[in-house]
Amino acid sequence: MANIRKRKLRTWCRTLTAHVWLIALASAPAAAGDAQRGEPMYQRYCTGCHGADGRGGGKNFMPHVGALTRKGYTDRLEDSYLESIVADGGEAFGKSAYMPSFKTTLSSQDIADVIAYVRTFPLY
């Protein structure tokens, strides 16, 4: 019974955290990302899992990560949502816990730049 309560509390906390971030991001002015500045950061922090071209299959950490270039999926996600995932990590949004939080590594502008770079990938 205690385990069920703990799971419900964790789920509630994750949901609350996601909502707080979404409200904060919605009220903050959107930073325009610069794909050229985002490329080296993507290459440094993201290719290990997401691959150099965003198609997944990075050889360093998680070779089974899905593609960022899947037509009809990533292209439909709002930048603010992607920024939240990059900032807080995947687990906070019900995604893989292997996706770390980058909010202490990358600034908001850096994250916007990385997302702008990802948006340059061709969709498949």
Side-chain angles (χ1 to χ4, degrees):
M1 197 68 159
N3 285 338
I4 293 171
R5 280 192 217 131
K6 286 180 183 179
R7 266 189 274 150
K8 285 183 179 182
L9 180 61
R10 277 194 299 258
T11 301
W12 183 82
C13 288
R14 287 182 190 139
T15 303
L16 178 63
T17 300
H19 284 98
V20 168
W21 268 101
L22 290 173
I23 290 168
L25 288 171
S27 62
D34 180 335
Q36 190 172 357
R37 285 193 347 230
E39 181 180 7
M41 287 179 277
Y42 178 88
Q43 297 301 329
R44 179 174 182 182
Y45 296 111
C46 309
T47 58
C49 296
H50 294 289
D53 59 0
R55 295 181 82 177
K59 303 293 184 221
N60 295 345
F61 305 109
M62 294 295 300
H64 60 278
V65 170
L68 297 174
T69 57
R70 197 170 73 209
K71 189 181 289 187
Y73 178 67
T74 307
D75 55 320
R76 293 185 180 191
L77 298 174
E78 298 287 331
D79 285 354
S80 60
Y81 178 71
L82 295 174
E83 289 167 4
S84 298
I85 293 173
V86 175
D88 289 328
E91 189 173 25
F93 293 89
K95 299 191 176 300
S96 174
Y98 288 106
M99 171 68 184
S101 166
F102 285 99
K103 66 182 164 193
T104 59
T105 307
L106 300 173
S107 70
S108 295
Q109 184 62 55
D110 292 340
I111 292 171
D113 294 343
V114 169
I115 292 169
Y117 177 66
V118 168
R119 297 281 191 205
T120 69
F121 295 154
L123 300 176
Y124 300 95

